[in-house]
Amino acid sequence: MTLLRPRSAAEALKLYAQSPGALPLAGGTDFMVAWNAGLANDRVVLDLAGLEAWRRIAATKTTITIGALATHADIQRHTAVRRHLPLLVEACAMVGGLQIQNRGTLGGNIANASPAGDTFPPLAVYDAEVELASARGRRRVPFGSVFAGVKKTVLEPGELIAAIHVPVPRRPTRALWRKVGTRAAQAISKTMAAGLLWLARDGTIAELRFALGSMAPTVRRLASVEAHVKGRRPDRELAREAAALVARDVAPIDDIRSTAEYRLAVSQNLLASFLTRET
Ligand SMILES: Cc1cc2nc3c(=O)[nH]c(=O)nc-3n(C[C@H](O)[C@H](O)[C@H](O)COP(=O)(O)OP(=O)(O)OC[C@H]3O[C@@H](n4cnc5c(N)ncnc54)[C@H](O)[C@@H]3O)c2cc1C
């Protein structure tokens, strides 16, 4: 194994352009599992640990920018993130145990592209954008478009995740984060939900954003549900209608962790109780 240890982003992008088959290494929590399985044998490894600037979290009045190398623990500690993006803070607090949260990064979580990435439903409802950098330049991709399938992203050769930009949301009337797994901690989810709801003065729904994880190859916003509930009162009848629409937006599968039937039923219940304020 050859280890490249750049000291700056510019150097990292240059080295990656010269060696596009290299494996980026951030916190290493997923990487070490792959290494153990022999997947890093004879590979060039691009260690990102020296890119201090990519670990920073910066907040303005309108945007919070989280460097790709910010760890799950860094995110939980940051005052502006705690105030404006509490669903992301809650999700980061459920990633593995403290050791994993201290090493695992947000960029690594996204690049790993597991259907069960805990940070994905919050980032989806917060309308995040992912900034990709290469020696050719930078581009931003809406969060929902960064995944191309299970463990696949739209990153091109030589591209790294540099940062995640999140618009500061106006304060929601209600917010939800729920991870449903076999255990309360250290679990890979069967389903996950994040929701933001804004009510108008007359009590009707001004806007709903609702995302599910672990239900499809990639995180899903429930577009049909979100459109259906707009302008309506969040009562039990609407909750029933919305729950019936979930299957239009996402078709869960059976796998070793759960069944499609369970996943769908739990997600419908989470949505219905969120709408009627029963969560
Ligand atoms: C015991 C255990 C428990 C876990 N529990 C959870 C959990 O509950 N929820 C959850 O979501 N995840 C969990 N994970 C997975 C993992 O910890 C997270 O996905 C973590 O955020 C990965 O970040 P990392 O910095 O360690 O990535 P690394 O392991 O360093 O990298 C992961 C992948 O991303 C690539 N990569 C990393 N950074 C970049 C970048 N900036 N640009 C481009 N590519 C990059 C690497 O090449 C690699 O393919 C768990 C892992 C373990 C070992």
Side-chain angles (χ1 to χ4, degrees):
M1 186 181 82
T2 308
L3 188 65
L4 305 174
R5 306 200 72 190
R7 306 311 302 173
S8 69
E11 191 189 350
L13 296 175
K14 193 172 155 203
L15 287 171
Y16 203 17
Q18 290 162 356
S19 194
L23 297 174
L25 170 65
T29 59
D30 280 315
F31 186 95
M32 291 302 172
V33 176
W35 187 356
N36 242 353
L39 300 176
N41 291 352
D42 305 323
R43 299 288 296 269
V44 176
V45 173
L46 181 69
D47 181 5
L48 305 178
L51 280 62
E52 265 305 310
W54 283 17
R55 191 169 170 178
R56 276 183 215 133
I57 302 177
T60 67
K61 276 191 176 153
T62 56
T63 310
I64 296 178
T65 298
I66 303 172
L69 297 178
T71 64
H72 299 289
D74 294 335
I75 291 168
Q76 290 172 67
R77 279 193 292 264
H78 196 274
T79 311
V81 180
R82 294 174 71 85
R83 180 178 310 149
H84 298 294
L85 311 176
L87 303 184
L88 181 61
V89 171
E90 285 183 57
C92 288
M94 300 212 71
V95 174
L98 291 181
Q99 297 91 335
I100 295 292
Q101 292 167 26
N102 280 329
R103 285 215 58 93
T105 64
L106 187 57
N109 197 222
I110 296 169
N112 193 50
S114 158
D118 281 349
T119 61
F120 302 169
L123 291 173
V125 295
Y126 285 133
D127 280 341
E129 283 188 335
V130 180
E131 182 180 335
L132 305 178
S134 70
R136 302 179 297 281
R138 294 189 177 233
R139 64 183 176 123
R140 286 195 189 192
V141 180
F143 187 71
S145 306
V146 87
F147 303 109
V150 175
K151 299 264 175 185
K152 291 197 182 98
T153 65
V154 299
L155 270 67
E156 287 171 5
E159 253 181 346
L160 291 170
I161 298 175
I164 296 86
H165 301 273
V166 191
V168 171
R170 60 195 193 287
R171 192 166 290 281
T173 317
R174 265 175 238 169
L176 168 78
W177 157 252
R178 191 62 66 83
K179 174 175 176 176
V180 179
T182 307
R183 299 176 296 273
Q186 298 267 24
I188 301 178
S189 61
K190 297 168 191 275
T191 182
M192 293 179 280
L196 294 172
L197 179 81
W198 290 268
L199 293 180
R201 285 203 173 161
D202 64 0
T204 59
I205 294 175
E207 186 178 357
L208 169 74
R209 299 184 198 163
F210 205 87
L212 294 173
S214 287
M215 293 281 285
T218 65
V219 62
R220 286 285 163 82
R221 278 275 291 269
L222 302 187
S224 311
V225 172
E226 291 178 2
H228 184 79
V229 301
K230 204 173 172 117
R232 301 273 305 275
R233 285 193 182 278
D235 54 21
R236 288 200 174 180
E237 188 190 337
L238 183 68
R240 266 194 302 277
E241 291 171 22
L245 281 174
V246 172
R248 189 181 287 184
D249 289 326
V250 66
I253 55 159
D254 293 325
D255 67 12
I256 48 161
R257 276 191 291 282
S258 191
T259 63
E261 192 185 358
Y262 177 85
R263 287 186 157 114
L264 185 61
V266 172
S267 308
Q268 288 171 320
N269 290 344
L270 286 173
L271 171 66
S273 51
F274 179 56
L275 287 173
T276 53
R277 216 186 214 158
E278 286 161 5
T279 44

